[in-house]
Amino acid sequence: MTEIIESIKKIALEISEAIKTKDTGKMDTQNACGDVQVKLDVISDEIVEKYLLATSSVKEIMSEEKEAPVKKNEGKYLVAYDPLDGSSLIDVDLSVGSIFGIYENGYNGEDIKAAAYVVYGPRVEMVVARDVVELFRLNEKTKEFEFVKEIKLDKKGKILGPGGTQKYWYPYHKEMIDSLFKEGYRLRYSGGMVPDLHQILLKSGGLFAYPGTEDKPKGKLRKLFEVFPFAFVYKKAGGFGVDGYNDLLTLKAEHYHDTTPCFFGSEYEINRVLETYKGR
Ligand code: AHG
Ligand code: MN
Ligand code: MN
């Protein structure tokens, strides 16, 4: 596992460099999810693949940008990753990220053993969740990641990141979001789940919601590359990740690019979600 985390540090350095120096334009192609790709999606995917395939404890890799996994003849762990999350924000210079789920035996919620993500913001930060959740920050002079602190969520936060297209929100979802704003929650939503979820973690709590909607009942965010890794991070930080009804980590993945509604937050906000969705 340590070997994989060390590889992720090298990946983070190289992707960070690519973001600063390469073309921010779009490709003519779409990825396996049918999303428009930017050139940096493809470059980042190649960087992750290069390092993970050279890591002996990795048995298989599966990317948001690929149709199917790349398998090896050695190793123990299956790594599912989103090489560049929030890539539609690249051309407006907002923060983006990389997300990694480290699985054993399969890609269901129960199979995830560790997770990590990198935020490419004004500074490069990396969060690693194993038994505990640790924050590291890149020292740009030494090119080393330095340990900053352990991350723990409080029972209740103050910020709210409500995703999805409001026009298609279910009425009970809208009522819940409105009522949280009336309680005093402040809007914090960039359109990149990595910085949005990172902010909630570092401000000790809140709620990020990417619900099922009338146009997309299964939500947008992908279980293997986005949802399970963050559900693992939030759980280890003392928070929660649910699909409105159940712990996200009890869900199975029907296929590699399966999506699910998802809510991440601290105890108070997640209880509000569960109460709202009960019986719906
Ligand atoms: P990706 O760039 O890997 O396709 O994922 C972006 C995700 C996530 O970061 C964000 O929360 C969500 O898509 C926003 O999507 P919409 O703007 O389409 O709601
Ligand atoms: Mn993504
Ligand atoms: Mn992506």
Side-chain angles (χ1 to χ4, degrees), residues 199-215:
Q199 180 166 196
I200 291 171
L201 278 170
L202 292 180
K203 304 284 186 196
S204 309
L207 177 68
F208 175 91
Y210 207 106
T213 47
E214 278 160 16
D215 61 330

Side-chain angles (χ1 to χ4, degrees), residues 110-247:
E110 64 187 16
D111 299 318
I112 192 162
K113 297 293 175 278
Y117 66 84
V118 182
V119 194
Y120 309 101
R123 307 276 187 108
V124 178
E125 296 195 331
M126 179 170 77
V127 169
V128 179
R130 285 176 277 196
D131 292 335
V132 294
V133 182
E134 295 172 304
L135 172 68
F136 299 86
R137 185 175 293 145
L138 179 66
N139 178 327
E140 290 282 355
K141 292 202 176 100
T142 62
K143 302 292 174 199
E144 295 287 336
F145 278 92
E146 294 170 355
F147 175 73
V148 180
K149 63 175 181 179
E150 198 178 309
I151 299 177
K152 274 273 169 213
L153 281 168
D154 289 343
K155 291 199 182 312
K156 185 178 186 309
K158 294 177 182 152
I159 57 177
L160 181 53
T165 308
Q166 293 195 27
K167 181 182 168 189
Y168 299 117
W169 282 356
Y170 295 119
Y172 49 89
H173 181 79
K174 181 168 169 39
E175 275 166 32
M176 177 187 77
I177 298 294
D178 287 348
S179 119
L180 287 167
F181 278 130
K182 280 190 193 127
E183 272 179 43
Y185 280 81
R186 279 168 290 126
L187 177 65
R188 292 291 183 271
Y189 191 77
S190 74
M193 76 179 300
V194 174
D196 289 336
L197 284 165
H198 190 56
Q199 180 166 196
I200 291 171
L201 278 170
L202 292 180
K203 304 284 186 196
S204 309
L207 177 68
F208 175 91
Y210 207 106
T213 47
E214 278 160 16
D215 61 330
K216 286 183 187 167
K218 290 190 74 186
K220 175 189 179 188
L221 297 176
R222 290 143 282 223
K223 288 177 181 170
L224 268 64
F225 322 109
E226 298 169 324
V227 174
F228 291 157
F230 270 109
F232 188 86
V233 172
Y234 268 65
K235 182 176 252 182
K236 293 294 178 183
F240 301 85
V242 297
D243 65 354
Y245 310 93
N246 297 301
D247 181 341

Side-chain angles (χ1 to χ4, degrees), residues 69-81:
V70 181
K71 296 174 193 284
K72 285 167 63 194
N73 292 323
E74 54 163 6
K76 174 174 172 187
Y77 295 108
L78 319 176
V79 184
Y81 62 92

Side-chain angles (χ1 to χ4, degrees), residues 23-31 34-42:
D23 186 342
T24 57
K26 292 194 174 84
M27 302 278 291
D28 301 326
T29 52
Q30 291 186 340
N31 69 4
D35 299 330
V36 174
Q37 284 179 307
V38 298
K39 291 175 188 164
L40 276 162
D41 281 319
V42 178

Side-chain angles (χ1 to χ4, degrees), residues 15 18-19 22-27 29-32 34-49 63-66 81-90 96-98 222 226:
I15 294 181
I19 291 169
K22 305 274 186 192
D23 186 342
T24 57
K26 292 194 174 84
M27 302 278 291
T29 52
Q30 291 186 340
N31 69 4
D35 299 330
V36 174
Q37 284 179 307
V38 298
K39 291 175 188 164
L40 276 162
D41 281 319
V42 178
I43 294 170
S44 303
D45 190 33
E46 287 166 1
I47 293 171
V48 181
E49 176 168 353
S63 165
E64 182 186 272
E65 305 301 330
K66 297 186 195 302
Y81 62 92
D82 181 350
L84 197 61
D85 178 76
S87 56
S88 69
L89 302 173
I90 277 286
V96 292
S98 301
R222 290 143 282 223
E226 298 169 324

